Amino acid sequence: MRSASAVKRSVRSWWLREAAVGEQPPLPPLTGHRQADVCIVGGGFTGLWTAIRIKERDAVADVVLIERDLCGAGASGRNGGFVMSFWHHFQGLEQVCGSEQALQLAWLSAENVADIGRFCDEHEIDSHYQHDGWFWTATNPSQVGAWDSTIAAIARHGEGPFATVSSEELLARTGSPAHLAGVYEPSCATVQPAMLARGLLRVARERGVEVFERSPMVGLERSRTPLVVSTRRGSIAAERVVIATGAWAGQLRELQRAFVVVASDIVITDAAPFELERIGWRDGAAISDSRLMVDYYRTTPDGRIAFGKGGGRLAYDARIGRSVDAPSPIASQLTKQLRKIYPSFAGVPIVASWNGPIDRTIDGLPFFFALGRPDLLCGAGYSGNGVGPSALGGRILASLTLGLDDEWSRCGLVRAPPPGLPGEPWRYLGGRVVRGAVARKERAEDANRQPGRLDRALAGLAPAGLVPLE
């Protein structure tokens, strides 16, 4: 257990600090024993959306949520704040769910982005929601056309969510000549993720969800009915339990080979709104390039650039250590890349850096299923695209928890984790080898050199990320 002083020294993300998470007194921890209809473990996006949707469907349900730290302080308060659809993962969806379900989920996920904005308006959540779309770009010649197979697969069904963007328009809207080509997907948005999480916490509590912070699950008694969840100072006997801890769920025996836990790192600049105006990046459009260890970046309403990179350090056996509460160890690398793409920001200071864990599945898609018994449910595996899909996940888990037979409980993402990942130590050792090959391959491509044959072959073994493998 971390001491109070260790918690105080933890480095929160810029988003969490801006949302004043940690400055307000935490909600009391769970003490003693209580009973509930539903116990949700995890106070991030998935857990909070699930709690809210359960109360919408069954207002009298007794729902209790426990969180190991502060709600939103995990991956939900550390990500880039991209609220994305599933359109860029259409090929993966089609392989997992079939064409009909893939199309339905893609359209639902796009509408879900707008629904999150409407939810924030309705409940007066100041999440800095900006519905300005997403640019999928190429920043070196090898990346040009990375989106072609995805667009072609979607077009075979008569749909066209992506718009081709001319080089002139791309420069005008993104403010950087580093983008050689790209396509635009208008359904996407950006948010201040920690403020969204804290807003969801408020709504959940207003609807009667009882929330306990600083209450990590230390035990789960599965051999009896009802299930019993234990924390350090209390326990909950619940008719149904939902595990919504994201990358931290990798410690459960059923999920030990479900995903790889990798780091995502972010730096953020000081505010420079006049410089953004000058270069033409005037809205809240999100941008990603087409590398596997993806570079992703967006602006904030007060004129900052947040610049991140996925596919970082691997966690052995899905163990997430103290490094998650430290500044990014690759902040200088991120700063260099940011200033390469936006050289006019060379004189704008970097004011913060941080990192967070990603639960990356082999196919880049989440899963929702019962852990051996119908009253013990789990959702995880967002693979770097969780802000939007977690709201869909909340609907899926709510339907599964309440035993409903509807479009959510029957959707194609209700499935066991995809197979294909080895156990430890081979997952970690192999992951290190593959990650090194990906890094060398992408450095060679940035330098307009042909990557080595072995590096190309090894890179092809990597799990899908924010941008799917072609």
Side-chain angles (χ1 to χ4, degrees), residues 35-310:
Q35 294 181 322
D37 295 324
V38 181
C39 174
I40 297 172
V41 183
F45 288 143
T46 299
L48 291 167
W49 279 120
T50 300
I52 290 167
R53 299 309 182 191
I54 288 173
K55 295 295 283 187
E56 284 181 352
R57 307 294 290 269
D58 184 355
V60 300
D62 181 15
V63 180
V64 176
L65 184 150
I66 61 171
E67 162 57 36
R68 60 180 289 275
D69 189 1
L70 305 177
C71 288
S76 296
R78 302 169 188 263
N79 60 79
F82 286 32
V83 190
M84 301 181 71
S85 73
F86 278 136
W87 279 119
H88 63 294
H89 267 312
F90 181 79
Q91 290 174 285
L93 276 177
E94 197 169 28
Q95 291 174 1
V96 169
C97 308
S99 298
E100 183 178 352
Q101 266 281 302
L103 286 167
Q104 182 181 18
L105 280 167
W107 277 118
L108 284 171
S109 68
E111 179 61 24
N112 171 68
V113 177
D115 284 343
I116 290 173
R118 287 190 286 267
F119 188 93
C120 289
D121 286 342
E122 179 184 353
H123 297 281
E124 298 182 339
I125 298 174
D126 182 15
S127 67
H128 299 178
Y129 180 91
Q130 293 181 280
H131 201 171
D132 292 317
W134 172 59
F135 287 97
W136 184 357
T137 72
T139 53
N140 66 46
S142 71
Q143 296 176 16
V144 174
W147 42 83
D148 287 347
S149 63
T150 297
I151 292 174
I154 297 169
R156 286 194 289 271
H157 302 285
E159 305 291 351
F162 291 93
T164 301
V165 182
S166 69
S167 57
E168 294 79 13
E169 182 183 356
L170 193 61
L171 172 60
R173 289 201 58 190
T174 68
S176 175
H179 301 126
L180 306 181
V183 292
Y184 176 69
E185 209 268 90
S187 74
C188 300
T190 57
V191 292
Q192 207 283 26
M195 294 177 75
L196 174 59
R198 300 303 287 188
L200 294 177
L201 170 63
R202 173 176 58 79
V203 174
R205 296 183 69 205
E206 288 172 351
R207 294 191 174 180
V209 177
E210 192 171 9
V211 179
F212 299 97
E213 295 184 317
R214 301 279 169 83
S215 301
M217 181 178 75
V218 297
L220 175 61
E221 178 54 64
R222 308 186 189 205
S223 63
R224 55 180 288 185
T225 301
L227 294 155
V228 177
V229 174
S230 298
T231 67
R232 292 194 178 101
R233 299 170 61 184
S235 62
I236 302 168
E239 297 299 324
R240 286 145 290 178
V241 172
V242 179
I243 306 296
T245 53
W248 283 267
Q251 296 299 302
L252 295 172
R253 61 175 182 259
E254 293 92 344
L255 303 184
Q256 288 176 351
R257 296 173 64 174
F259 48 75
V260 177
V261 176
V262 296
S264 185
D265 295 80
I266 301 180
V267 296
I268 193 167
T269 70
D270 205 349
F274 298 112
E275 184 57 32
L276 288 175
E277 176 70 21
R278 188 188 70 79
I279 65 176
W281 197 3
R282 298 184 176 94
D283 61 17
I287 306 172
S288 304
D289 68 6
S290 299
R291 68 188 74 228
L292 182 61
M293 295 171 64
V294 63
D295 289 341
Y296 57 92
Y297 32 107
R298 43 79 60 95
T299 60
T300 64
D302 62 347
R304 305 172 191 273
I305 296 178
F307 190 100
K309 189 174 192 64

Side-chain angles (χ1 to χ4, degrees), residues 38 73 86 106 272 304 343 375 399 414 442:
V38 181
F86 278 136
R304 305 172 191 273
D375 53 355
S399 288
V414 177
E442 294 182 342

